[in-house]
Amino acid sequence: MDVRELRTVGAYLFVPRPSCDARGQVAAPYDEAAFEAATGSPLFPVRQATHSRSRRGAVRGVHFTRVPPGTATYAHCSRGRALYIAVDVRVGSPTYGRWESLVLDADHPSGVYLPAGVAHAVVALEETVITDLRSARYAARDEEAVSVLDPDLGLPVPGGADLIISERDRRAVTMAEAERRGILPGYDAASAAERSLRAAARGAGPRSTGYGPLPSRDVKGKQEMSQEQEQRQEQEQVGERGKWRIEVDRLVCAGTGLCLGTAHGRMRLDGGRARPVDEVVGPDDAVLDAAETCPMEAITVRDAATGEVLAPLR
């Protein structure tokens, strides 16, 4: 496998060497030995794998996760062909503001590693699926964006009316404005999140290369852990009965502050976007009103125990 570091410090491209015969080819977009040799540790413990399917001309980004918590990703193209752009939005980084574009192709499935705090954009050059391994589950409240059409960034996004861009990505602010609002992650905080992920990866211990069963004591330990997790989940659900959960999609939120007046004491502005003072609250009609009247439909209120959507009811 060939490896090179991208212009955004800490990000890497991994290019496998496929095995070909009359039947076709086999390639490994991820190889732990190559990854560890390049980065100094195994890949983070994977918490979620996602498949993002896009029509030709679809544009996603420029997206990143707030730090904390920070999310690292390992991506490859599993169908079609896409322009994949890594952007360093970490304030204080030696490569802050730099970007690099890559063509990811399912026929030549290279892997891209982006550390916590590095943003990315995807332009589908044909019907495309991007597969991401994530160090944390996707949570809308932690997701941010800067404009993929920011003229100061000058990303190589093709022009024309055929581009398909979501309304929230069209409304995303420029990188300079995001920095002014304090939305962008700091390099020190992002580096700390990355160190934590590497420590977690090393703490996972040696990985089995065989197919034999685990020792009985390990199975028992996993069963006990699973039972403890189930008990904690049951306790949390009991504690949340009769309560509501407030969620804010910060990629959609326009930061008008209307919800602060509608649900006084329940909402606040953080980095120019709305955020609940407390995510889990007792029943409060003002919270429902805030969700129903939000012009961007960025607020969702759910039953904390069941997940049922209470507002907006559209």
Side-chain angles (χ1 to χ4, degrees):
M1 177 172 278
D2 298 319
V3 183
R4 73 173 176 88
E5 188 170 13
L6 303 183
R7 295 191 187 100
T8 50
V9 65
Y12 290 86
L13 173 68
F14 296 85
V15 182
R17 298 173 182 174
S19 299
C20 304
D21 60 24
R23 298 167 297 175
Q25 71 173 26
V26 175
Y30 174 74
D31 180 84
E32 185 170 282
F35 185 89
E36 188 165 2
T39 67
S41 72
L43 185 66
F44 50 77
V46 175
R47 302 305 182 196
Q48 188 177 54
T50 62
H51 285 266
S52 176
R53 181 175 178 177
S54 301
R55 296 168 53 192
R56 182 180 183 276
V59 179
R60 300 177 185 270
V62 178
H63 298 161
F64 62 94
T65 305
R66 292 170 62 90
V67 180
T71 301
T73 60
Y74 193 95
H76 76 276
C77 181
S78 49
R79 177 182 176 183
R81 193 166 58 97
L83 188 66
Y84 192 92
I85 309 171
V87 185
D88 194 344
V89 297
R90 299 167 295 182
V91 178
S93 165
T95 55
Y96 174 68
R98 294 184 191 174
W99 54 265
E100 183 161 352
S101 63
L102 309 161
V103 174
L104 299 186
D105 187 339
D107 290 336
H108 306 88
S110 299
V112 181
Y113 174 72
L114 300 184
V118 172
H120 72 280
V122 176
V123 182
L125 302 177
E126 55 188 73
E127 186 85 7
T128 298
V129 174
I130 297 293
T131 299
D132 278 303
L133 303 180
R134 298 171 53 90
S135 66
R137 289 176 55 84
Y138 174 87
R141 63 181 178 273
D142 293 324
E143 296 302 307
E144 299 285 4
V146 295
S147 175
V148 72
L149 302 176
D150 182 348
D152 291 334
L153 272 178
L155 302 181
V157 177
D162 293 338
L163 291 183
I164 306 170
I165 305 179
S166 71
E167 187 61 27
R168 65 181 182 182
D169 282 351
R170 285 189 185 277
R171 290 176 175 270
V173 299
T174 64
M175 188 162 163
E177 177 62 16
E179 182 178 358
R180 188 187 69 79
R181 294 187 185 184
I183 296 173
L184 301 181
Y187 182 62
D188 290 342
S191 297
E194 188 69 9
R195 288 194 296 271
S196 178
L197 290 175
R198 293 188 179 188
R202 296 189 191 99
R207 307 187 185 192
S208 172
T209 56
Y211 295 93
L214 291 169
S216 58
R217 62 177 180 276
D218 288 343
V219 173
K220 181 180 179 181
K222 287 182 179 291
Q223 291 174 339
E224 291 174 350
M225 181 177 294
S226 177
Q227 291 172 354
E228 290 176 1
Q229 290 173 342
E230 290 177 357
Q231 290 173 356
R232 283 199 298 269
Q233 290 175 351
E234 290 175 358
Q235 291 171 356
E236 289 173 358
Q237 290 177 347
V238 169
E240 291 182 345
R241 285 176 185 168
K243 295 184 179 181
W244 296 350
R245 181 178 299 277
I246 307 171
E247 300 174 354
V248 177
D249 188 335
R250 291 171 61 82
L251 284 178
V252 175
C253 177
T256 63
L258 292 175
C259 58
L260 277 68
T262 305
H264 181 70
R266 295 296 193 186
M267 307 295 292
R268 61 188 176 91
L269 286 181
D270 178 13
R273 309 288 176 90
R275 183 181 290 273
V277 174
D278 296 300
E279 291 187 6
V280 178
V281 300
D284 185 344
D285 287 343
V287 173
L288 299 181
D289 291 341
E292 293 289 355
T293 59
C294 175
M296 303 302 297
E297 300 183 17
I299 303 173
T300 303
V301 181
R302 300 178 183 273
D303 184 299
T306 67
E308 177 188 359
V309 175
L310 304 177
L313 297 178
R314 295 190 175 98

